[in-house]
Amino acid sequence: MRNLEAVDARLADRLAELRVERGWPLEELAHRSGISRSTLSRLERGEISPTAALLGKLCEVYGRTMSRLLAEVEDEPPQVLTAAAQPVWRDEESGFVRRSVSPPHPGLRGEVVESTLRPGADIAYDAPPVPGLEQHIWVLEGAVEITANGRTHLVEAGDCLRFRLWGGSRFRCQGPGPSRYAIFVVLP
């Protein structure tokens, strides 16, 4: 089994565990997340991989960042992560690639994520997984239009946008090439 398939299988198991821990039937989770019962069932059985948007909605319902959820399905991370050991997650449908450069770790409140959006990619999240989540977004290549807390910013290579997220957010690749940026997340 490829590493990606193993992560997807553990993610499916973890999503089912989170729902069961709360004592929710699929119908309750569907109501809370806005995701259909059939899609949730297929996600939990590992028949489909979640898109970034679906995973964002589930993270919101469960009060977790995406990094925290993905870290829960990985082995305990070492102190030094080589580039080859950093977990990479892809959402082919939206054109989003996420590398967990410095994943969550017990006792640490921050993490670093490298994200890449292909040209035309547009990802929206209804709400933050954790209200008040502090983010510093440093664009490494290209340009990204970022909407956070109702304000839209064009962030170009070398620029850094920083904020605490209380509302929805949106990331749109601007320009003819891909956009690559680092997100520094600090949990409240």
Side-chain angles (χ1 to χ4, degrees):
M1 179 181 286
R2 292 185 359 231
N3 186 40
L4 180 60
E5 291 171 343
V7 170
D8 282 347
R10 289 193 305 266
L11 181 58
D13 289 343
R14 184 62 183 139
L15 290 171
E17 287 171 4
L18 287 168
R19 180 180 57 77
V20 170
E21 285 170 7
R22 285 157 179 77
W24 296 341
L26 281 171
E27 293 79 13
E28 177 68 18
L29 181 56
H31 173 74
R32 290 174 181 262
S33 67
I35 301 169
S36 75
R37 183 191 181 287
S38 63
T39 298
L40 291 169
S41 177
R42 293 181 69 207
L43 283 171
E44 289 184 5
R45 289 193 315 261
E47 293 175 4
I48 59 173
S49 294
T51 64
L54 287 178
L55 205 51
K57 288 180 180 184
L58 291 171
C59 285
E60 178 186 347
V61 169
Y62 292 132
R64 284 171 163 67
T65 64
M66 193 178 301
S67 294
R68 181 75 51 194
L69 178 62
L70 293 174
E72 290 173 5
V73 299
E74 289 294 326
D75 295 328
E76 179 69 26
Q79 293 297 313
V80 175
L81 260 72
T82 63
Q86 296 166 3
V88 176
W89 183 74
R90 294 175 183 353
D91 177 1
E92 298 298 336
E93 183 177 311
S94 70
F96 176 62
V97 178
R98 180 184 191 287
R99 175 184 297 275
S100 191
V101 176
S102 177
H105 191 276
L108 300 177
R109 292 181 37 221
E111 62 187 271
V112 180
V113 175
E114 177 190 26
S115 299
T116 304
L117 295 173
R118 71 173 174 234
D122 186 348
I123 300 173
Y125 301 99
D126 295 333
V130 177
L133 188 67
E134 182 179 342
Q135 295 186 25
H136 301 254
I137 302 174
W138 178 30
V139 176
L140 304 169
E141 295 176 26
V144 184
E145 182 184 274
I146 301 170
T147 301
N149 301 319
R151 297 188 62 193
T152 300
H153 309 272
L154 179 61
V155 189
E156 299 177 305
D159 297 345
C160 183
L161 174 65
R162 55 193 183 168
F163 55 87
R164 284 193 178 275
L165 188 60
W166 299 100
S169 60
R170 184 176 184 180
F171 296 77
R172 292 179 51 197
C173 180
Q174 298 295 306
S179 298
R180 189 170 65 91
Y181 51 95
I183 303 177
F184 302 87
V185 177
V186 182
L187 294 172

